[in-house]
Amino acid sequence: MCPPQIIMMAASGASTMIQMSAQEKQAKAQKEAADDQAKRIELDRKVGEVQAMQNQRNRFEDYISAEKSNLAVFSASGIDTESMSIKAFEEANKATVVEDLSSIAFQADYESSSKRVQAASLRKSGSNALSAGYVNMMGTAATGIYNMSQIWPSSTATIKPIYPKTSVY
């Protein structure tokens, strides 16, 4: 038959180990969740960059199509397409397109940078969660060791009297 202290120590040790294992699993899960979310944000960032390039291409194609239509209308109307006013009109349209393309690129860069920072922040928070989990595990281990030290019988022998105490009146 085992002394009760050994059973209590085994229970305390097992409880401590189970608690530490749960803390480790939780910390790893938090890091993995943060990393997964960061990957989704990075993917969104790349999709946004591709969409911005597509928007720029569409805007440029619209400009070319409008330019051709304008020249056709001017020619059909008998307007000299080489005149200074038509050239000024074309230059103004070209400047507008360049502005639009620059705005699309600037917005895409801003969103890309924002998502890059967001993803990095998530990765850092996941790493911090993992570190905190390990610190919690060490705290749990220390508490478990302390609890077991309170259960373990002291190493100093106690002397019990052989004879019962008697009082003298």
Side-chain angles (χ1 to χ4, degrees):
M1 181 153 158
C2 287
Q5 288 96 348
I6 292 180
I7 293 171
M8 289 170 51
M9 284 189 61
S12 179
S15 171
T16 299
M17 295 303 289
I18 290 168
Q19 213 173 3
M20 287 174 64
S21 176
Q23 288 169 332
E24 179 185 28
K25 287 177 183 174
Q26 181 183 17
K28 285 182 177 179
Q30 286 174 334
K31 179 168 181 1
E32 187 176 324
D35 287 346
D36 288 347
Q37 193 171 355
K39 286 177 188 174
R40 283 191 297 276
I41 289 172
E42 284 290 337
L43 183 61
D44 286 348
R45 180 184 66 79
K46 290 176 183 175
V47 167
E49 288 174 355
V50 170
Q51 286 175 336
M53 287 189 288
Q54 184 66 40
N55 290 343
Q56 284 179 314
R57 187 174 141 250
N58 289 344
R59 178 62 180 106
F60 188 73
E61 286 176 355
D62 288 347
Y63 163 72
I64 296 297
S65 177
E67 188 73 16
K68 288 179 182 178
S69 294
N70 288 340
L71 287 175
V73 168
F74 293 148
S75 293
S77 302
I79 300 173
D80 180 17
T81 56
E82 297 298 318
S83 72
M84 295 299 278
S85 61
I86 297 299
K87 292 294 179 191
F89 176 74
E90 289 174 349
E91 287 300 317
N93 284 345
K94 194 181 292 185
T96 301
V97 168
V98 168
E99 261 182 46
D100 290 351
L101 295 176
S102 294
S103 292
I104 292 169
F106 179 78
Q107 184 67 29
D109 285 347
Y110 173 78
E111 289 177 12
S112 178
S113 294
S114 175
K115 289 184 187 239
R116 189 173 283 121
V117 168
Q118 199 176 7
S121 177
L122 277 168
R123 284 190 184 93
K124 183 67 176 171
S125 72
S127 179
N128 289 345
L130 186 60
S131 295
Y134 289 143
V135 169
N136 285 339
M137 286 174 57
M138 292 301 103
T140 299
T143 300
I145 291 168
Y146 174 78
N147 289 342
M148 287 191 289
S149 75
Q150 297 301 304
I151 297 168
W152 191 258
S154 70
S155 61
T156 58
T158 55
I159 301 172
K160 295 182 182 176
I162 298 175
Y163 304 105
K165 288 186 181 181
T166 58
S167 33
V168 179
Y169 293 95

